[in-house]
Amino acid sequence: MAEASKQDSDIVVDRGKWEWSELWKKEDWWAIWLGFAILVVGLVIFLPRPPADMHEKLAKAEATMAAEDARAPFHTIEWHSANDAMSGLRARSEPHGRTIAKWLEMPGRWTSSPMESFYLSESAAAERRAKAEPAFKEAQEAAKGALERAKQAQELAAEEAFRNEDLNEQAEAAIREWRQAREKERGSLRTRATVQAYNKIPYMIGIMIIFMLFFSIGARFMDIGSANLMKGFWFVFLLAVVAEMIGQQSTMREYGFGGLIWAILGGMLISNTVGVPNFLKPALQTEYYIKTGLVLLGAEILFSKIMLIGQAGVVVAWVVTPTVLILTYIFGQRVLKMESKTLNITVSADMSVCGVSAAIATAAACRAKKEELTIAVGMSMLFTAIMMIALPTFIVSVGMHPVLGGAWIGGTIDSTGAVVAAGAFLGEVGMFVAATVKMIQNILIGVIAFGVAVYWCARVDCTPGQQVSKMEIWYRFPKFVLGFIAASIIFSWMLVSMGSAGDVMIDQGVLRGFSRPIREWFFILAFASIGLSSNFREMAHHFKGGKPVILYVCGQTLNLILTLLVAYLMYFVVFPHVTESLMG
Amino acid sequence: MHAQKEYQGSHRGHGKLKGWIGLAAGVALVWVMASIVLPWGQTLPHIRPVMEAIADSNVDTGTYWYSQCENTAVAQMHIRNTLRNQ
């Protein structure tokens, strides 16, 4: 009995019956109510305040690009400038967006002094600017010079009406050099040369109080109790802040060991050494935080992005990925004979789809144990760091085409940041392809989470041979998934119906400017809670025989082979014109 | 009885001390990783070029979702506008 009750406390629980009181007593429903409340507030703040002349600017940029496409067989300087102007239009860059960003900001990057993560004085900022200025000015001059050379080369090609192949190639090469110089100028050099003084501490205290009150609304109606949650919330928040600070240390950041893993490790270190005091325990509401975060994540699953890179990208991201997921799961069950099906599917999804985010969504959908999620996330971060270095090094050393290399990286490396970093090593086109394939793959987790939730209710969470009725599936179904899917459908529809303005107002406004930073906070609070309520022994039990590592390595090997093969077929055999266009 | 209580007290105190030592050891391990092992790894010939590229591009490699990374928005815009007339 005690064992069963302990097991229950470790998993996301829904019982096989329906009561209307679930609507205000269960964290699944509270995740939906709170998640949608945030999304509505975001819409109310951003939608009535578009950037000035947004529609005119978008129309002008689109017209310029169409005219340049008709004029030249490659992307001209004017085309790139119009594209940059379009990218620069963001609702969150408006004054209200900048104010919100200040409130929701997490600890920042630092190198040797952790305090710089929270506070930078005016004199220290001025010192940093002065130190970075010579290199930045040099980069600015280099970009200016490269632009002049590109203009001259383009003019020569234009004089021949873009019919001279040699001149076209010279112009293309000069434009490519200008883009590279511009990229360098806008990278870390600009960040260092334009740094301003900041003090994040008051905002962090403010946001902690807001989140505490926010979560205490649901806690009042559930068994937790508002006062109980408030008593320990500050500590969970503090651990989350410290974890994020460690993840922002420049070396950690470059390896990709972000705040989430430090939140888990820090929490585990505390709970397995000095222990967690009783007053903290009601604040360790992993499922409450994670499910609310997942409803917000649902809004970022924008189905209109699927066709971004044409059918080739869809095949690479949406055919290979589920194939690898299913085969890895079967391999885990039949060959490795893994005891825990939830660990098996969580590691399979984490490895084949998109790392941490897929692990979170899948673990919540199949009610995996906290320790299982921890194992999946830990392995993902470790292998991502290895692959982020090994894959681009290999691609460059064998001289692989950047489109193929980019698609391979996007389809196989787990986390988006690592994909972009590895893709950047292949150049601009490689990075663009890698980032886009990964983005399309990210969208897949909506379908995966829904599929796993249904499969678990109908096939796994029942005795062998038992027929499960539709109502029984509904009783057992993790209801927050409904909010997750609904948010995805509503925001996908809004994005499409708004046309080009959708990117400016929804993607670069409500989502990236409001719900995303809040969701990041919720996930790190959830991971701090996981760490504080996990124990090493339970983890060691799941690691028995190293089966999760074997599963990950075998699955990833299959993923690497299949993705490379399919990407080659798609971009060089079936749709070679897409590759030609991307290189233009 | 009194002796037993005293033993339990010292045992609890010993356990607490062990806990704090464990916590300090864990923190020290993280510090060694962050300030010695990982920076050393960055100087290795096969790792250094990638790490330099990451530092120059200012990408936060720890971001786990597309919307956390600015480059995805730039990539999306470029790819969409490139393939618009296909």
Side-chain angles (χ1 to χ4, degrees), chain B residues 52-70:
Chain B
E52 279 173 0
I54 292 169
D56 285 345
S57 64
N58 209 22
V59 175
D60 181 356
T61 58
T63 52
Y64 52 87
W65 184 250
Y66 80 88
S67 63
Q68 290 168 265
C69 189
E70 280 314 307

Side-chain angles (χ1 to χ4, degrees), chain A residues 65 69 75 79-80 83 86-87 90 92 109 187-188 191 248 251-256 260 262 269 273-274 297 300-302 305 308-309 356-357 388-389 393 415-418 420-421 425 431-432 435-436 439 442 445 503 507-508 512 516 519-520 523 577 581-582, chain B residues 15-16 18-27 30 33-35 37-43 46-51 53-86:
Chain A
M65 280 188 281
D69 276 339
H75 291 331
W79 188 95
H80 280 292
N83 182 58
M86 239 175 140
S87 283
R90 296 166 177 189
R92 67 193 166 107
R109 191 177 184 170
S188 59
T191 312
Q248 284 299 322
T251 309
M252 296 295 186
R253 194 176 132 117
E254 281 157 20
Y255 275 100
L260 294 186
W262 298 113
L269 194 60
T273 52
V274 292
L297 188 84
E300 294 171 47
I301 296 176
L302 302 164
K305 291 184 190 284
L308 261 176
I309 200 166
V356 174
S357 41
M388 178 182 75
I389 295 161
T393 307
S415 77
T416 307
V420 169
F425 200 64
M431 189 275 274
F432 287 164
T436 314
M439 189 155 50
N442 274 182
I445 76 159
D503 278 326
D507 193 3
Q508 291 288 358
R512 291 189 195 236
R516 184 213 71 194
R519 191 250 307 148
E520 281 182 57
F523 278 172
H577 62 280
S581 301
L582 292 170
Chain B
K16 225 174 193 181
K18 213 173 138 190
W20 283 107
I21 290 170
L23 184 63
V27 172
V30 172
M33 276 266 293
S35 56
V37 180
L38 294 177
W40 169 78
Q42 286 177 317
T43 63
H46 288 295
I47 297 177
R48 197 169 56 196
V50 181
M51 285 297 170
I54 292 169
D56 285 345
S57 64
N58 209 22
V59 175
D60 181 356
T61 58
T63 52
Y64 52 87
W65 184 250
Y66 80 88
S67 63
Q68 290 168 265
C69 189
E70 280 314 307
N71 306 58
T72 57
V74 177
Q76 170 193 325
M77 194 63 81
H78 184 95
I79 298 262
R80 184 194 289 153
N81 289 331
T82 298
L83 301 178
R84 194 185 288 268
N85 299 324
Q86 290 291 307

Side-chain angles (χ1 to χ4, degrees), chain A residues 208-253:
Chain A
M208 183 196 73
I209 295 167
I210 292 170
F211 286 159
M212 189 168 70
L213 295 173
F214 179 76
F215 282 114
S216 70
I217 302 170
R220 185 170 181 271
F221 293 93
M222 295 189 278
D223 286 342
I224 312 158
S226 301
N228 292 336
L229 183 124
M230 285 185 195
K231 268 183 224 164
F233 188 84
W234 65 271
F235 187 84
V236 182
F237 189 89
L238 185 69
L239 177 60
V241 167
V242 172
E244 190 57 35
M245 183 201 81
I246 299 173
Q248 284 299 322
Q249 197 267 344
S250 54
T251 309
M252 296 295 186
R253 194 176 132 117

Side-chain angles (χ1 to χ4, degrees), chain A residues 332-385:
Chain A
Q333 288 301 292
R334 303 221 175 133
V335 181
L336 296 178
K337 309 233 179 277
M338 287 181 77
E339 272 176 47
S340 168
K341 287 182 177 178
T342 48
L343 176 61
N344 191 351
I345 193 72
T346 306
V347 173
S348 304
D350 149 82
M351 174 278 302
S352 60
V353 191
C354 48
V356 174
S357 41
I360 296 171
T362 314
C366 71
R367 304 158 183 184
K369 286 183 179 176
K370 292 162 190 167
E371 286 80 7
E372 294 174 338
L373 177 58
T374 302
I375 289 172
V377 169
M379 282 199 308
S380 171
M381 288 204 169
L382 189 65
F383 282 102
T384 296

Side-chain angles (χ1 to χ4, degrees), chain A residues 175-327:
Chain A
I175 290 172
R176 218 170 10 249
E177 271 176 35
W178 162 55
R179 299 301 293 175
Q180 279 169 358
R182 184 180 174 277
E183 201 58 41
K184 197 173 179 192
E185 180 218 328
R186 284 165 182 254
S188 59
L189 282 176
R190 173 174 282 201
T191 312
R192 288 203 299 265
T194 56
V195 68
Q196 298 294 325
Y198 53 80
N199 181 6
K200 297 182 180 182
I201 297 167
Y203 296 104
M204 281 188 189
I205 294 171
I207 208 69
M208 183 196 73
I209 295 167
I210 292 170
F211 286 159
M212 189 168 70
L213 295 173
F214 179 76
F215 282 114
S216 70
I217 302 170
R220 185 170 181 271
F221 293 93
M222 295 189 278
D223 286 342
I224 312 158
S226 301
N228 292 336
L229 183 124
M230 285 185 195
K231 268 183 224 164
F233 188 84
W234 65 271
F235 187 84
V236 182
F237 189 89
L238 185 69
L239 177 60
V241 167
V242 172
E244 190 57 35
M245 183 201 81
I246 299 173
Q248 284 299 322
Q249 197 267 344
S250 54
T251 309
M252 296 295 186
R253 194 176 132 117
E254 281 157 20
Y255 275 100
F257 299 140
L260 294 186
I261 197 70
W262 298 113
I264 297 179
L265 288 177
M268 283 181 79
L269 194 60
I270 293 168
S271 65
N272 289 276
T273 52
V274 292
V276 177
N278 284 334
F279 78 92
L280 278 183
K281 288 178 182 165
L284 308 182
Q285 296 299 328
T286 306
E287 286 81 17
Y288 189 21
Y289 307 141
I290 222 166
K291 286 172 181 174
T292 311
L294 278 169
V295 172
L296 296 180
L297 188 84
E300 294 171 47
I301 296 176
L302 302 164
F303 284 99
S304 54
K305 291 184 190 284
I306 295 171
M307 288 303 290
L308 261 176
I309 200 166
Q311 290 135 311
V314 177
V315 174
V316 173
W318 277 57
V319 174
V320 176
T321 307
T323 307
V324 173
L325 168 69
I326 293 166
L327 290 177

